[in-house]
Amino acid sequence: MSLKIDIITLFPEMLAGFFSSSILKKGQEKGLLEIHCVNPRDFTTDKHKTCDDRPYGGGSGMVMKAEPIFKAVKSVQTSESKIILLNPQGEKFSQAKAMEFSRLSHLIFICGHYEGIDERVKIGLADEEISIGDYVLTNGALAAAVVVDAIVRLVPEVLGNPDSLMTESFSMGLLEYPQYTRPRIFQDESVPEILLTGDHQKIKKWRNEEAIKRTQQKRPDLL
């Protein structure tokens, strides 16, 4: 099963390079992914392709209009679509949520800009609202790139070695254990001897203990 992703954004050019590189590119070449950007400006009716207007009630900044977004979403929506609004006020994105989304067949992400989006988009379109953190970005295209990358790498067969997913931070509720590669000694720091023994049972035990220790030190809230 392949995953189709449509991103509603005023700035598709910001994402073009990102989606044509690395794992995202390989996933599309394998036919496992289909990623498209849809510009709401293409669904406006005035000569200036206006997608924003002054807020009712006054205030600074501009608000994205509901109509172009509705039309853009409806142009790609199917009965299987999950519509996600990227919004600083939404549920905080997590590895568990990425896994949940990776099992779906069609995701539509709505990216905001300016001072926000007309509330009727949230009411009438969005199935969920997702935030990537407690801060505000210039526009939601950047957040979409982060979320899509986290999701795509969990789609079966996208990664060359699927076993690597099992030991990553957050996948098992812990931060990942320390990793080392050659040379054996660098700047007077040596690779732990246990990793050189070839005893896989002892190495597995050490890695688990290190993962717990690291989680206790850096993210005790995960335990």
Side-chain angles (χ1 to χ4, degrees), residues 60-133:
S60 61
M62 305 288 277
V63 175
M64 287 188 69
K65 295 161 64 72
E67 186 177 15
I69 296 174
F70 266 79
K71 288 182 177 179
V73 169
K74 296 300 182 184
S75 73
V76 294
Q77 185 180 12
T78 71
S79 60
E80 297 181 346
S81 303
K82 181 87 165 183
I83 303 172
I84 299 133
L85 176 62
L86 294 158
N87 183 358
Q89 299 178 17
E91 175 189 348
K92 190 168 289 187
F93 187 59
S94 65
Q95 188 75 3
K97 182 60 69 172
M99 179 61 75
E100 176 189 327
F101 286 164
S102 74
R103 295 175 176 140
L104 301 178
S105 60
H106 187 208
L107 298 168
I108 301 175
F109 292 96
I110 302 174
C111 303
H113 188 55
Y114 308 115
E115 288 299 310
I117 294 179
D118 190 300
E119 188 71 15
R120 289 165 290 190
V121 171
K122 303 175 188 179
I123 296 170
L125 276 180
D127 295 314
E128 291 191 38
E129 295 179 57
I130 292 294
S131 167
I132 62 168

Side-chain angles (χ1 to χ4, degrees), residues 175 178 210-221 223:
L175 299 185
E210 289 297 312
I212 294 172
K213 185 190 303 181
R214 178 167 286 188
T215 306
Q216 287 173 334
Q217 292 172 345
K218 297 184 176 183
R219 289 292 304 274
D221 57 295
L223 295 173

